[in-house]
CSV table of all heavy atoms in Angstrom, one decimal:
chain,number,residue,atom,x,y,z
A,99,LEU,N,7.1,-2.5,12.7
A,99,LEU,CA,5.9,-1.6,13.0
A,99,LEU,C,6.3,-0.2,12.9
A,99,LEU,O,7.3,0.3,13.5
A,99,LEU,CB,5.5,-1.9,14.4
A,99,LEU,CG,5.1,-3.4,14.8
A,99,LEU,CD1,4.7,-3.5,16.2
A,99,LEU,CD2,3.9,-3.8,13.9
A,101,ASN,N,5.2,4.0,13.3
A,101,ASN,CA,4.2,5.0,13.8
A,101,ASN,C,4.5,6.3,13.1
A,101,ASN,O,5.5,6.9,13.3
A,101,ASN,CB,4.4,5.1,15.3
A,101,ASN,CG,3.3,6.0,15.9
A,101,ASN,OD1,2.9,7.0,15.3
A,101,ASN,ND2,2.9,5.7,17.1
A,104,GLY,N,5.5,9.6,14.7
A,104,GLY,CA,6.8,9.8,15.3
A,104,GLY,C,6.8,9.4,16.8
A,104,GLY,O,7.9,9.3,17.4
A,105,GLY,N,5.7,9.0,17.3
A,105,GLY,CA,5.6,8.6,18.7
A,105,GLY,C,4.1,8.5,19.1
A,105,GLY,O,3.2,8.7,18.3
A,106,VAL,N,3.9,8.2,20.3
A,106,VAL,CA,2.5,8.2,20.9
A,106,VAL,C,2.1,9.6,21.4
A,106,VAL,O,2.8,10.0,22.4
A,106,VAL,CB,2.4,7.1,22.0
A,106,VAL,CG1,0.9,7.0,22.5
A,106,VAL,CG2,2.8,5.7,21.4
A,112,LEU,N,-4.1,3.3,20.9
A,112,LEU,CA,-3.6,2.4,19.9
A,112,LEU,C,-3.9,1.0,20.2
A,112,LEU,O,-3.8,0.6,21.4
A,112,LEU,CB,-2.1,2.6,19.7
A,112,LEU,CG,-1.6,4.1,19.5
A,112,LEU,CD1,-0.1,4.1,19.3
A,112,LEU,CD2,-2.3,4.7,18.3
A,128,THR,N,10.2,-2.8,15.8
A,128,THR,CA,9.8,-1.5,15.5
A,128,THR,C,11.0,-0.8,14.7
A,128,THR,O,12.1,-1.3,14.7
A,128,THR,CB,9.6,-0.7,16.8
A,128,THR,OG1,10.7,-0.7,17.7
A,128,THR,CG2,8.4,-1.2,17.6
A,129,THR,N,10.6,0.3,14.1
A,129,THR,CA,11.6,1.0,13.3
A,129,THR,C,12.5,2.0,14.2
A,129,THR,O,13.5,2.5,13.7
A,129,THR,CB,11.0,1.9,12.2
A,129,THR,OG1,10.0,2.7,12.8
A,129,THR,CG2,10.3,1.0,11.2
A,130,GLY,N,12.1,2.1,15.4
A,130,GLY,CA,12.9,2.9,16.4
A,130,GLY,C,12.2,2.9,17.7
A,130,GLY,O,11.2,2.2,17.9
A,131,SER,N,12.8,3.7,18.6
A,131,SER,CA,12.2,3.7,20.0
A,131,SER,C,10.8,4.3,20.0
A,131,SER,O,10.4,5.1,19.1
A,131,SER,CB,13.1,4.6,20.9
A,131,SER,OG,14.4,4.0,21.1
A,132,THR,N,10.0,3.8,20.9
A,132,THR,CA,8.6,4.3,21.0
A,132,THR,C,8.6,5.5,22.0
A,132,THR,O,8.9,5.4,23.1
A,132,THR,CB,7.7,3.2,21.6
A,132,THR,OG1,7.6,2.1,20.7
A,132,THR,CG2,6.3,3.8,21.8
A,133,ARG,N,8.4,6.7,21.4
A,133,ARG,CA,8.4,7.9,22.2
A,133,ARG,C,7.0,8.3,22.7
A,133,ARG,O,6.1,8.3,21.9
A,133,ARG,CB,9.0,9.1,21.3
A,133,ARG,CG,10.4,8.8,20.9
A,133,ARG,CD,10.8,9.8,19.8
A,133,ARG,NE,12.2,9.6,19.4
A,133,ARG,CZ,12.7,8.7,18.6
A,133,ARG,NH1,11.8,7.9,18.0
A,133,ARG,NH2,14.0,8.6,18.3
A,134,ILE,N,6.9,8.5,24.0
A,134,ILE,CA,5.6,8.8,24.6
A,134,ILE,C,5.6,10.3,24.9
A,134,ILE,O,6.4,10.8,25.8
A,134,ILE,CB,5.3,8.0,25.8
A,134,ILE,CG1,5.6,6.5,25.6
A,134,ILE,CG2,3.9,8.3,26.3
A,134,ILE,CD1,4.8,5.9,24.6
A,135,TYR,N,4.8,11.1,24.1
A,135,TYR,CA,4.9,12.6,24.3
A,135,TYR,C,4.1,13.0,25.5
A,135,TYR,O,3.3,12.3,26.1
A,135,TYR,CB,4.4,13.2,23.0
A,135,TYR,CG,5.3,13.0,21.8
A,135,TYR,CD1,4.9,12.3,20.7
A,135,TYR,CD2,6.6,13.5,21.8
A,135,TYR,CE1,5.7,12.0,19.6
A,135,TYR,CE2,7.5,13.3,20.8
A,135,TYR,CZ,7.0,12.5,19.7
A,135,TYR,OH,7.9,12.3,18.6
A,145,GLN,N,-1.7,1.9,24.8
A,145,GLN,CA,-1.5,0.9,23.7
A,145,GLN,C,-2.0,-0.4,24.3
A,145,GLN,O,-1.6,-0.9,25.3
A,145,GLN,CB,0.0,0.8,23.4
A,145,GLN,CG,0.4,-0.4,22.6
A,145,GLN,CD,0.3,-0.1,21.1
A,145,GLN,OE1,0.9,0.9,20.6
A,145,GLN,NE2,-0.5,-0.9,20.4
A,159,TYR,N,9.1,-11.0,19.5
A,159,TYR,CA,8.6,-9.6,19.5
A,159,TYR,C,9.7,-8.8,20.2
A,159,TYR,O,9.9,-8.9,21.4
A,159,TYR,CB,7.3,-9.6,20.3
A,159,TYR,CG,6.6,-8.2,20.2
A,159,TYR,CD1,7.0,-7.2,19.4
A,159,TYR,CD2,5.6,-7.9,21.1
A,159,TYR,CE1,6.4,-6.0,19.4
A,159,TYR,CE2,5.0,-6.7,21.1
A,159,TYR,CZ,5.4,-5.7,20.2
A,159,TYR,OH,4.8,-4.5,20.2
A,161,PRO,N,10.8,-5.2,20.3
A,161,PRO,CA,10.7,-3.7,20.0
A,161,PRO,C,11.9,-3.0,20.6
A,161,PRO,O,12.6,-3.4,21.5
A,161,PRO,CB,9.4,-3.3,20.8
A,161,PRO,CG,9.3,-4.3,21.9
A,161,PRO,CD,9.9,-5.6,21.3
A,162,ASP,N,12.1,-1.8,20.0
A,162,ASP,CA,13.1,-0.9,20.6
A,162,ASP,C,12.6,-0.3,21.9
A,162,ASP,O,11.4,-0.5,22.3
A,162,ASP,CB,13.4,0.2,19.6
A,162,ASP,CG,14.2,-0.3,18.4
A,162,ASP,OD1,15.5,-0.5,18.6
A,162,ASP,OD2,13.7,-0.4,17.3
A,163,SER,N,13.4,0.5,22.6
A,163,SER,CA,13.1,1.0,23.9
A,163,SER,C,11.8,1.9,24.0
A,163,SER,O,11.5,2.5,23.0
A,163,SER,CB,14.3,1.7,24.6
A,163,SER,OG,14.6,2.8,23.8
A,164,LEU,N,11.2,1.9,25.1
A,164,LEU,CA,10.1,2.8,25.4
A,164,LEU,C,10.6,4.0,26.1
A,164,LEU,O,11.3,3.9,27.2
A,164,LEU,CB,9.1,2.1,26.3
A,164,LEU,CG,7.8,2.8,26.6
A,164,LEU,CD1,6.9,3.0,25.4
A,164,LEU,CD2,7.0,2.0,27.7
A,165,ILE,N,10.4,5.3,25.5
A,165,ILE,CA,10.9,6.5,26.1
A,165,ILE,C,9.8,7.4,26.5
A,165,ILE,O,9.2,8.1,25.6
A,165,ILE,CB,11.9,7.2,25.1
A,165,ILE,CG1,13.0,6.2,24.6
A,165,ILE,CG2,12.5,8.4,25.7
A,165,ILE,CD1,13.9,6.9,23.6
A,166,PRO,N,9.5,7.5,27.7
A,166,PRO,CA,8.4,8.4,28.2
A,166,PRO,C,9.0,9.9,28.4
A,166,PRO,O,9.9,10.1,29.2
A,166,PRO,CB,7.9,7.8,29.5
A,166,PRO,CG,9.1,7.1,30.0
A,166,PRO,CD,9.9,6.7,28.9
A,167,TYR,N,8.4,10.8,27.6
A,167,TYR,CA,8.9,12.2,27.7
A,167,TYR,C,8.4,12.9,29.0
A,167,TYR,O,7.5,12.3,29.7
A,167,TYR,CB,8.5,13.0,26.5
A,167,TYR,CG,9.3,12.8,25.3
A,167,TYR,CD1,9.9,11.6,25.0
A,167,TYR,CD2,9.3,13.8,24.3
A,167,TYR,CE1,10.6,11.4,23.8
A,167,TYR,CE2,10.1,13.6,23.1
A,167,TYR,CZ,10.7,12.4,22.9
A,167,TYR,OH,11.4,12.2,21.7
A,172,TYR,N,0.9,7.3,30.3
A,172,TYR,CA,0.7,6.3,29.3
A,172,TYR,C,0.4,4.9,30.0
A,172,TYR,O,1.0,4.6,31.0
A,172,TYR,CB,2.0,6.2,28.5
A,172,TYR,CG,2.1,5.0,27.6
A,172,TYR,CD1,1.4,5.0,26.4
A,172,TYR,CD2,3.0,3.9,27.8
A,172,TYR,CE1,1.6,4.0,25.5
A,172,TYR,CE2,3.1,2.9,26.9
A,172,TYR,CZ,2.4,2.9,25.7
A,172,TYR,OH,2.5,1.9,24.8
A,174,GLN,N,0.1,0.8,29.1
A,174,GLN,CA,0.3,-0.2,28.1
A,174,GLN,C,-0.2,-1.6,28.7
A,174,GLN,O,0.2,-1.9,29.8
A,174,GLN,CB,1.8,-0.3,27.8
A,174,GLN,CG,2.2,-1.5,26.9
A,174,GLN,CD,3.7,-1.5,26.5
A,174,GLN,OE1,4.2,-0.7,25.8
A,174,GLN,NE2,4.4,-2.4,27.1
A,190,GLU,N,11.4,-6.0,26.5
A,190,GLU,CA,11.0,-4.6,26.6
A,190,GLU,C,12.1,-3.9,27.4
A,190,GLU,O,12.6,-4.5,28.4
A,190,GLU,CB,9.7,-4.5,27.4
A,190,GLU,CG,9.3,-3.1,27.7
A,190,GLU,CD,7.9,-2.8,27.1
A,190,GLU,OE1,6.9,-3.3,27.6
A,190,GLU,OE2,7.8,-2.0,26.1
A,191,VAL,N,12.4,-2.7,27.0
A,191,VAL,CA,13.4,-1.9,27.7
A,191,VAL,C,12.7,-0.5,27.9
A,191,VAL,O,12.2,0.1,27.0
A,191,VAL,CB,14.7,-1.6,26.9
A,191,VAL,CG1,15.6,-0.7,27.6
A,191,VAL,CG2,15.4,-3.0,26.6
A,193,ALA,N,13.1,3.3,29.2
A,193,ALA,CA,14.1,4.3,29.5
A,193,ALA,C,13.6,5.3,30.5
A,193,ALA,O,12.4,5.4,30.8
A,193,ALA,CB,14.4,5.0,28.2
Side-chain angles (χ1 to χ4, degrees):
L99 301 177
N101 187 320
V106 181
L112 307 180
T128 54
T129 55
S131 296
T132 299
R133 298 167 176 83
I134 313 299
Y135 293 115
Q145 170 84 57
Y159 187 14
D162 289 286
S163 60
L164 183 69
I165 305 177
Y167 282 28
Y172 174 73
Q174 175 178 287
E190 176 123 69
V191 177

